[in-house]
Amino acid sequence: MKEQAQADVIVVGAGVVGLSAAIAAQARGLSVTVLDREGPAAGASAGNAGAFAFTDILPLASPGILKKAPKWLLDPLGPLAVPPAYAVQIAPWMFRFWRACSPKRVAHSTTAQTALMDLSKAELEPFLQQSGTLSMLRKEGNLQVYEGEAELKASLPGWKAREEHGIEFRHLNATEMAEIQPGLAPRFTHGTFTPGWYSIADPKLYTIALADHFRSKQGPIERAEVTALRPVDGGVEVLTADGGVRRAAKVVLSAGAFSHRIARTIGESIPLETERGYNTTLPSDAFDLRTQVTFGGHGFVISRLSTGIRVGGAVELGGLKLPPNFRRSEAMLKKAQAFLPGLKPGGGVQWMGFRPSLPDSLPAIGAARATQRVIYAFGHGHLGLTQSAGTARIVADLLTGKASAIDITSFSPQRF
């Protein structure tokens, strides 16, 4: 085995969370190396909806989801699916998910999520300025649409929770919705607009720009598949699939949906699963989209990117090995055509990616059980982009021994 020179920090993972953490650590004067099995923006950071969803404070694990889940699970192409081939394997995770849906736990998760959202929003623009990416930020809001007054009324408890946490929104009728987003089908009679919902021009281009900035500050990014971590005196050894051994004083594990496999090598069992997300990106002229539109009752969104119109979302709990089921992308696109009658469906590019998800909808941020020299920063589900700047701030504080800007007890990797 070939051993390489020691860095202050090795970040495992070149997605948006890992690169943001690497840049934040680099800005504190630490020498940082990033390792990734495929390179920058190869996973969920490339194909997400591009939203900084700071108003999305309610956990996926909630009583409302429990009510909807049986109906959704009966539809293999619906908003929530568990492929039969994966049902037995995911059963323990689903049990933890069910337990996290109790009102007391949902209230706890919502408070913790709000704190991380507030920090992430406060950190975002300074971080974008620092990394030279501020011009990619958009502030176009999000329009949640409802099919009838009953669906709006069913959503009101969630909006009340957001109101209690100071989130701005306003409910709209069909005429008011059309002023924000023309072209919606008449079936959508009510809506809620949240102006504090930001987006990025294109998530893949943004993540690549972060990589370029990191490199411009003499930060190496190496393609290497990390297979194990090994605490040693004064540091951590990072073992890779090619037989290499790298050493750092500290390691940040931010390898997305693969993180739990690496954590297992230092004796940590973390119930990480994958929200397999699907989308289709259409040409930019496919529709006159003016804000992100969320079809909550159907579990998907449509976003305007600099590179096209993206239709995607939903949750398929199917692990890392099953082949993609692009009929899910096709089903969402077909619905989008019905919901936005002027949408041109041709010329689209399909995508599937792994969103790392923990049962209570909160990420794992904090030190490993085995050693304080390994910092975990993964499991953000569909909120990795949204919470990347806030997570980077917390990680940089942990690496440099500073008090965290928020209480991170609720994000403890050992809470399970």
Side-chain angles (χ1 to χ4, degrees), residues 229-381:
L229 304 177
R230 186 163 60 201
V232 294
D233 289 342
V236 182
E237 289 184 342
V238 179
L239 284 62
T240 56
D242 61 1
V245 179
R246 294 162 173 81
R247 182 167 173 156
K250 296 180 180 180
V251 168
V252 176
L253 179 55
S254 188
F258 300 88
S259 299
H260 62 309
R261 294 180 174 181
I262 301 170
R264 200 176 295 138
T265 66
I266 52 172
E268 196 109 52
S269 178
I270 297 178
L272 188 72
E273 268 297 342
T274 57
E275 297 178 31
R276 291 153 56 105
Y278 292 82
N279 65 48
T280 303
T281 304
L282 303 170
S284 296
D285 64 354
F287 189 76
D288 179 20
L289 194 66
R290 303 180 186 182
T291 184
Q292 179 170 290
V293 181
T294 299
F295 302 98
H298 300 270
F300 74 94
V301 304
I302 178 167
S303 305
R304 184 177 74 89
L305 307 178
S306 62
T307 50
I309 302 295
R310 181 160 292 168
V311 178
V315 173
E316 180 188 55
L317 298 168
L320 295 167
K321 296 180 180 179
L322 294 180
N325 177 10
F326 284 115
R327 290 189 301 152
R328 296 182 63 77
S329 297
E330 294 160 7
M332 285 185 282
L333 184 57
K334 186 175 180 179
K335 283 187 175 182
Q337 287 180 259
F339 298 167
L340 303 170
L343 181 71
K344 294 182 284 189
V349 177
Q350 295 178 327
W351 176 89
M352 189 276 284
F354 302 117
R355 299 173 294 196
S357 183
L358 290 162
D360 59 1
S361 304
L362 300 177
I365 308 174
R369 189 189 304 274
T371 172
Q372 295 288 308
R373 291 181 178 273
V374 174
I375 305 298
Y376 296 145
F378 58 81
H380 296 76

Side-chain angles (χ1 to χ4, degrees), residues 4-20:
Q4 301 189 5
Q6 176 167 316
D8 291 333
V9 180
I10 288 177
V11 175
V12 182
V16 68
V17 174
L19 286 170
S20 297

Side-chain angles (χ1 to χ4, degrees), residues 19-35:
L19 286 170
S20 297
I23 290 170
Q26 194 181 53
R28 301 281 180 97
L30 300 172
S31 63
V32 184
T33 296
V34 174
L35 305 180

Side-chain angles (χ1 to χ4, degrees), residues 67-287:
K67 292 178 182 177
K68 296 176 183 177
K71 177 182 175 182
W72 282 354
L73 288 169
L74 290 173
D75 180 1
L77 302 179
L80 176 63
V82 178
Y86 199 66
V88 173
Q89 188 170 338
I90 201 174
W93 188 94
M94 293 294 287
F95 177 71
R96 288 188 172 99
F97 180 89
W98 173 76
R99 291 183 63 194
C101 289
S102 72
K104 183 177 179 180
R105 293 194 179 198
V106 169
H108 175 84
S109 296
T110 300
T111 299
Q113 198 77 286
T114 301
L116 183 54
M117 291 294 199
D118 289 347
L119 176 64
S120 297
K121 187 173 184 179
E123 292 289 319
L124 178 62
E125 291 190 53
F127 180 81
L128 298 181
Q129 185 73 53
Q130 172 194 348
S131 58
T133 56
L134 186 59
S135 63
M136 302 179 79
L137 182 65
R138 294 173 170 176
K139 299 181 179 181
E140 297 171 343
N142 176 73
L143 179 63
Q144 170 93 25
V145 296
Y146 308 103
E147 298 176 79
E149 189 173 1
E151 192 174 354
L152 170 64
K153 287 183 176 179
S155 76
L156 293 180
W159 291 111
K160 185 174 185 290
R162 293 181 178 93
E163 185 177 32
E164 291 171 352
H165 288 285
I167 292 171
E168 179 187 355
F169 61 88
R170 64 182 187 272
H171 299 307
L172 310 171
N173 59 33
T175 301
E176 293 165 330
M177 285 195 296
E179 293 174 0
I180 293 173
Q181 179 57 66
L184 289 165
R187 65 196 290 170
F188 298 105
T189 58
H190 297 75
T192 305
F193 185 67
T194 47
W197 187 292
Y198 300 168
S199 61
I200 203 74
D202 180 274
K204 182 175 182 178
L205 297 181
Y206 170 63
T207 307
I208 290 172
L210 295 184
D212 290 342
H213 172 80
F214 178 73
R215 290 190 184 103
S216 75
K217 302 295 183 181
Q218 287 73 56
I221 300 176
E222 302 175 21
R223 186 169 177 176
E225 181 177 357
V226 174
T227 55
L229 304 177
R230 186 163 60 201
V232 294
D233 289 342
V236 182
E237 289 184 342
V238 179
L239 284 62
T240 56
D242 61 1
V245 179
R246 294 162 173 81
R247 182 167 173 156
K250 296 180 180 180
V251 168
V252 176
L253 179 55
S254 188
F258 300 88
S259 299
H260 62 309
R261 294 180 174 181
I262 301 170
R264 200 176 295 138
T265 66
I266 52 172
E268 196 109 52
S269 178
I270 297 178
L272 188 72
E273 268 297 342
T274 57
E275 297 178 31
R276 291 153 56 105
Y278 292 82
N279 65 48
T280 303
T281 304
L282 303 170
S284 296
D285 64 354
F287 189 76

